[in-house]
Amino acid sequence: MDQFAHFFSDPIGISSLTAVVAAAAVVIGGVIRRRNNSDRNQPTDEFTELVKEALGEQIEEPEPEIGEQPETQSQTGAKLDVPESMTGRMSRLKARLAGSGSFGAALVNLFGKTNISETDFEQIEDRLLMADLGLEATDELMKRLREHAKVLSASEPAQIRAALRADLLELLDPHMDRSVHYSPDGPTMILVVGVNGTGKTTFIGRFARLLVAEGRHPLLVAADTFRAAAAEQLATWAQRVGAAVHKADHEGADPASVAFDGVKLGIDSGADVVVVDTAGRVQNKTTLMDELGKVKKVMEKQLPVSEVLLVLDATTGQNGLQQARVFAEAVQVTGIVLTKLDGSAKGGIVISVQRELGVPVKFVGLGEGPDDLAPFSPEDFADALLAQE
């Protein structure tokens, strides 16, 4: 006993004991966190029931057939088609972009000439502007092209392509953070905004497909209560990909209330990602800002919003940039989703919209299929733009 009394009366002994207890607490806390994270990867019974409900709904207007795909089984036992691998997806989308009439091919052809006239430069400048590169970025690129013309030989195509690729990459800003920021504590809150007709709901369905393929458990929230078919379209996607869905039980419900209830359901049911769809048809700018601001505010009463993704139609050009400005004022946009890049020469919109908002393009859509969505890669994009048609 005397030894124990001496130990606890000795400051060194007390410090040693404190260090041991602290170390044990760290170890135990780490085990608990690992268990919690492990449990979070397993859907709760309530979430599984939500998915079963989504899979069992009768959809009046189903999406077009996906086509022949391998099948797997969800946690509910329902058969679901397996999404295309990311490697295959990126290769296919890259090839599709390369054949879309890109302005990059025109740049390569320009430097394949032995003599480049001022008319050639003017034609290239016009093409860049038509591709929605924007005035400032076009001026920068044209200045570099003129410098290259003075030093690069038309007999060195590899050197020419490398120089052009470096120029395009710099304009695309490859150092921007294009990852989706998932929350380590509780469900990740993602708000999706954009004008109706840009492909918001379709993006959410494709995005949910990627989340399920990664082993995540998304809940899709139909807070677009102004468009009658929006909730049904979201339910269709949930049924196809094996996600849960929350929608209002009556038409004309308050979007903010639907969002609030959806977030609460996501937390209570064990979803690890909650994706909220919003309306894009408003009468004026003030209405839009008020409505979206209210939806975001009620979501954040429960958990922080990790991502606000703005969906833009790449074919709308300068009109799309005007939309981007309005949405950026309404909510703090963290990433851009560009849809409908297929079959157009509007690739420059990637550069101009990033410059306009100062936020990265995170996803691109290049077709109508369920797998025609991929994370945006500046390197692949530059290579596709410079591919020969």
Side-chain angles (χ1 to χ4, degrees), residues 39 97 100 110 118 128 131 136 142 169 226 229 241 249 254 266 289 299 305 320 324 333 371 388:
D39 291 342
L97 178 63
S100 67
L110 171 70
E118 184 60 31
L128 292 175
E136 185 179 345
M142 289 304 301
L169 266 181
F226 292 103
V241 307
D249 55 7
D254 176 51
M289 295 177 70
M299 291 175 65
V305 174
V333 175
D371 287 329
Q388 296 289 346

Side-chain angles (χ1 to χ4, degrees), residues 66 69 81-86 88-90 92-93 96 206 209-210 237 240 364-374:
I66 294 175
Q69 299 261 5
D81 56 287
V82 177
E84 183 179 358
S85 70
M86 194 56 65
R89 183 187 303 245
M90 291 299 293
R92 184 166 51 83
L93 298 187
R96 186 171 293 177
R206 291 170 174 171
R209 183 175 167 87
L210 288 176
W237 275 106
R240 294 173 71 186
V364 289
L366 290 168
E368 299 298 326
D371 287 329
D372 287 337
L373 175 76

Side-chain angles (χ1 to χ4, degrees), residues 33-355:
R33 282 193 296 272
R34 283 195 294 273
R35 285 181 177 175
N36 288 341
N37 289 336
S38 176
D39 291 342
R40 196 175 293 132
N41 289 332
Q42 300 299 323
T44 63
D45 291 341
E46 184 177 353
F47 184 82
T48 300
E49 288 303 315
L50 288 173
V51 176
K52 285 182 178 179
E53 182 180 346
L55 293 175
E57 288 185 353
Q58 297 298 317
I59 308 300
E60 295 180 1
E61 297 182 3
E63 294 280 327
E65 291 296 326
I66 294 175
E68 294 298 324
Q69 299 261 5
E71 289 186 337
T72 186
Q73 286 196 338
S74 70
Q75 62 264 24
T76 66
K79 289 185 176 181
L80 304 170
D81 56 287
V82 177
E84 183 179 358
S85 70
M86 194 56 65
T87 301
R89 183 187 303 245
M90 291 299 293
S91 297
R92 184 166 51 83
L93 298 187
K94 183 177 173 181
R96 186 171 293 177
L97 178 63
S100 67
S102 64
F103 59 78
L107 299 182
V108 174
N109 292 335
L110 171 70
F111 282 89
K113 300 177 64 174
T114 53
N115 294 308
I116 304 175
S117 66
E118 184 60 31
T119 301
D120 292 326
F121 280 119
E122 290 175 358
Q123 290 177 349
I124 290 296
E125 184 174 11
D126 290 342
R127 187 156 183 172
L128 292 175
L129 291 172
M130 291 175 62
D132 291 323
L133 195 67
L135 273 173
E136 185 179 345
T138 296
D139 288 343
E140 286 185 28
L141 189 55
M142 289 304 301
K143 180 179 179 181
R144 295 178 190 180
L145 292 179
R146 291 176 185 277
E147 291 174 353
H148 292 327
K150 295 177 182 178
V151 297
L152 296 179
S153 169
S155 62
E156 297 291 340
Q159 187 180 6
I160 293 170
R161 289 177 60 82
L164 295 178
R165 185 180 188 275
D167 291 340
L168 287 171
L169 266 181
E170 186 173 341
L171 291 174
L172 290 167
D173 197 349
H175 303 297
M176 278 186 163
D177 181 7
R178 302 176 193 278
S179 62
V180 177
H181 298 149
Y182 294 105
S183 172
D185 302 309
T188 297
M189 299 289 109
I190 298 178
L191 180 64
V192 181
V193 301
V195 172
N196 283 350
T198 57
K200 272 196 305 17
T201 307
T202 299
F203 161 71
I204 292 174
R206 291 170 174 171
F207 182 48
R209 183 175 167 87
L210 288 176
L211 293 174
V212 172
E214 292 174 353
R216 301 182 188 274
H217 314 296
L219 171 67
L220 313 183
V221 179
D224 179 356
T225 60
F226 292 103
R227 188 164 63 93
E232 285 73 16
Q233 186 180 0
L234 207 62
T236 300
W237 275 106
Q239 183 185 50
R240 294 173 71 186
V241 307
V245 65
H246 170 71
K247 56 183 180 178
D249 55 7
H250 64 281
E251 292 185 7
D254 176 51
S257 296
V258 177
F260 183 88
D261 292 342
V263 171
K264 186 177 186 303
L265 179 61
I267 295 171
D268 294 343
S269 66
D272 52 16
V273 182
V274 177
V275 186
V276 178
D277 190 13
T278 58
R281 182 172 57 208
V282 293
Q283 294 180 346
N284 56 58
K285 178 178 174 181
T286 302
T287 305
L288 170 67
M289 295 177 70
D290 290 346
E291 189 62 60
L292 290 180
K294 185 179 177 182
V295 169
K296 187 168 184 276
K297 184 176 180 180
V298 301
M299 291 175 65
E300 291 182 326
K301 284 184 176 181
Q302 302 177 79
L303 282 174
V305 174
S306 296
E307 294 278 2
V308 178
L309 300 178
L310 171 60
V311 181
L312 293 175
D313 181 340
T315 65
T316 58
Q318 293 301 310
N319 189 34
L321 290 181
Q322 303 235 349
Q323 295 171 12
R325 295 186 194 105
V326 174
F327 280 98
E329 292 176 10
V331 286
Q332 187 175 356
V333 175
T334 62
I336 306 295
V337 179
L338 278 176
T339 63
K340 307 178 187 179
L341 271 173
D342 57 311
S344 76
K346 299 293 187 178
I349 190 71
V350 173
I351 296 169
S352 53
V353 74
Q354 285 188 165
R355 288 193 167 211

